[in-house]
């Protein structure tokens, strides 16, 4: 098996350290990718720290991957050596169930294979993108348009599609009013995409400290949720609210901001359970929903949309040895707005 350099977690509390991971041999339908950049997602931290269940350490995380095709299997038709490609949150699914056939592999009825901390086809644990190379089935490899730099493309494979999918599926566009809760790694992408789709966009953040950024990204309005008057002023205003924060919020308060038949969609995933009062849903025929990433076809659609509209995340590129500090800054909300690892700093395999 090929061995590649990586940054690896060995326990829920220990710092990530340099190491290696083994990749499977390139099969007939596989693509070997030399990783150029890997984005840091809050999910990486949740996973390693055991917030979402037990973890088989050592584990290399990272599901925002951008790089170049280094080798292809003999039956690969979608990609060739030298292509600019990316990999997001999943690397396999059954491709036979109703959801997969409908292009919703992220809801595979048999369960899709996570890019890391999943069970690969050979029974091993999948290892992610904080590494110099990865082998992925061609179906789950995305084409990165030439106009999107690799370091900007990497976060699109999670943060981009995580926000694009609900905006598209709940029909954000001209004549709709969309609110985005939180202006972090996910939220700033939601604002940019919703604006490009033609919606009237409002940011709902704890304070006004990022107001200038929010307006620059395309928001029409910006309100502080720490001010109780915000919830009175905006009651019944929005067709769609996209909640991007990974901490508990007062769902009843936000549901009251929805217009008739409005929906709040959560894409942030706090480890704690959330509660909602059903009577709050009854009023205005409101809905509360969840959404996770998008299918492969929709993810490619998102990349092409971002290229067409000049949309890219705000990133801070770091060397691999700065990843532990970066994680602490993510937890402290001290990043504007996405960390991306330059994997050339990982060294050789």
């Amino acid at each position: 098996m090929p061995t590649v350099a990586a940054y690896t977690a060995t326990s829920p509390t220990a710092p990530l350290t340099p190491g290696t991971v083994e990749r499977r041999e390139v099969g007939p339908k596989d693509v070997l990718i030399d990783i150029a950049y890997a984005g840091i997602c809050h999910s990486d931290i949740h996973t390693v720290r055991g917030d979402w269940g037990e973890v088989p350490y050592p584990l290399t995380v990272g599901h925002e991957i951008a790089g170049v095709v280094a080798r292809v299997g003999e039956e690969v038709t979608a990609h060739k050596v030298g292509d600019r490609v990316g990999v997001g949150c999943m690397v396999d699914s059954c491709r036979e169930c109703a959801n997969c056939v409908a292009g919703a592999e992220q809801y595979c009825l048999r369960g899709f294979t996570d890019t890391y901390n999943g069970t690969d086809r050979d029974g091993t644990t999948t290892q992610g993108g904080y590494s110099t190379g990865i082998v992925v089935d061609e179906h789950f490899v995305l084409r990165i348009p030439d106009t999107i730099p690799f370091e900007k493309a990497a976060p699109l494979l999670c943060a981009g599609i995580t926000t694009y999918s609900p905006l598209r599926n709940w029909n954000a566009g001209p004549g709709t009013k969309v609110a985005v809760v939180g202006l972090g790694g996910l939220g700033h992408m939601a604002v940019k995409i919703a604006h490009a789709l033609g919606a009237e966009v409002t940011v709902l953040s704890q304070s006004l400290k990022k107001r200038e950024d929010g307006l620059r990204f395309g928001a029409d309005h910006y309100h502080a949720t720490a001010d109780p008057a915000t919830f009175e002023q905006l009651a019944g205003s929005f067709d769609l609210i996209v909640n991007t924060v990974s901490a508990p919020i007062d769902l009843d308060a936000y549901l009251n901001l929805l217009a008739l038949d409005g929906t709040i969609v959560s894409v942030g995933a706090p480890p704690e359970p959330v509660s909602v009062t059903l009577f709050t849903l009854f009023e205005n025929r409101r809905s509360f929903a969840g959404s996770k990433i998008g299918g492969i076809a929709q993810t490619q659609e998102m990349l092409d949309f971002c290229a067409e509209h000049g949309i890219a995340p705000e990133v801070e590129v770091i060397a691999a040895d700065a990843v532990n500090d970066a994680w602490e800054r993510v937890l402290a909300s001290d990043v504007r707005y996405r960390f991306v690892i330059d994997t050339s700093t990982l060294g050789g395999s």
Side-chain angles (χ1 to χ4, degrees):
M1 289 185 176
T3 300
V4 299
Y7 244 62
T8 301
T10 57
S11 83
T13 55
L16 274 64
T17 53
T20 60
V21 294
E22 290 184 340
R23 300 301 187 187
R24 68 170 182 263
E25 296 291 347
V26 176
K29 292 283 191 180
D30 284 338
V31 175
L32 170 63
I33 302 167
D34 286 339
I35 300 174
Y37 292 91
I40 292 177
C41 177
H42 207 146
S43 300
D44 304 340
I45 304 171
H46 280 305
T47 298
V48 165
R49 301 199 171 178
D51 293 337
W52 293 343
E54 294 185 9
V55 177
Y57 303 101
L59 182 69
T60 295
V61 294
H63 56 205
E64 298 180 345
I65 299 167
V68 177
V69 175
R71 196 191 329 162
V72 297
E74 61 268 23
E75 297 179 18
V76 170
T77 59
H79 308 283
K80 63 183 186 302
V81 173
D83 282 357
R84 308 174 81 248
V85 295
V87 177
C89 302
M90 56 183 169
V91 292
D92 211 348
S93 72
C94 80
R95 283 173 269 179
E96 296 175 349
C97 70
N99 289 356
C100 284
V101 171
E105 297 96 335
Q106 75 275 30
Y107 302 121
C108 176
L109 296 174
R110 300 178 194 172
F112 72 80
T113 302
D114 290 279
T115 302
Y116 62 79
N117 198 33
T119 302
D120 211 344
R121 60 182 64 165
D122 59 2
T124 61
T125 299
T126 54
Q127 304 288 338
Y130 292 15
S131 61
T132 56
I134 192 170
V135 177
V136 181
D137 185 287
E138 68 168 333
H139 180 81
F140 293 87
V141 177
L142 288 306
R143 176 185 53 81
I144 295 177
D146 292 340
T147 55
I148 305 178
F150 278 141
E151 69 274 17
K152 301 275 190 176
L156 293 178
L157 277 306
C158 177
I161 187 58
T162 295
T163 50
Y164 181 86
S165 189
L167 289 167
R168 288 289 284 169
N169 294 339
W170 275 271
N171 301 311
T176 62
K177 294 184 177 182
V178 174
V180 176
V181 182
L183 194 70
L186 291 174
H188 90 291
M189 287 306 306
V191 170
K192 291 186 176 190
I193 293 169
H195 172 73
L197 287 168
E200 181 180 331
V201 185
T202 298
V203 175
L204 301 174
S205 185
Q206 284 185 310
S207 72
L208 299 179
K209 66 180 181 180
K210 296 181 183 178
R211 182 177 183 275
E212 185 176 334
D213 281 355
L215 298 179
R216 178 165 56 89
F217 298 153
D220 300 284
H221 315 284
Y222 200 108
H223 293 272
T225 56
D227 182 356
T230 292
F231 291 91
E232 297 176 13
Q233 177 185 347
L234 299 179
S237 294
F238 302 110
D239 303 295
L240 175 65
I241 299 174
V242 179
N243 173 30
T244 71
V245 301
S246 292
I249 64 170
D250 183 349
L251 276 173
D252 290 319
Y254 285 89
L255 283 164
N256 280 320
L257 302 181
L258 291 172
L260 181 66
D261 289 325
T263 301
I264 180 168
V265 182
S266 282
V267 296
E272 306 91 344
V274 297
S275 63
V276 60
T277 304
L278 288 180
F279 285 104
T280 310
L281 290 176
F282 295 163
E283 294 297 326
N284 257 356
R285 211 159 49 215
R286 301 165 179 138
S287 298
F288 171 48
S291 176
K292 62 178 183 182
I293 57 172
I296 294 302
Q298 190 178 61
T299 304
Q300 188 63 61
E301 176 188 303
M302 176 274 304
L303 288 168
D304 295 339
F305 179 87
C306 288
E308 178 184 354
H309 292 272
I311 297 171
E314 309 293 310
V315 302
E316 182 176 335
V317 178
I318 62 169
D321 62 6
V323 67
N324 291 299
D325 289 338
W327 276 26
E328 293 305 317
R329 287 179 57 191
V330 169
L331 293 171
S333 299
D334 179 28
V335 53
R336 295 193 178 182
Y337 281 84
R338 208 72 168 178
F339 284 116
V340 178
I341 303 167
D342 176 355
T343 58
S344 69
T345 61
L346 279 165
S349 60

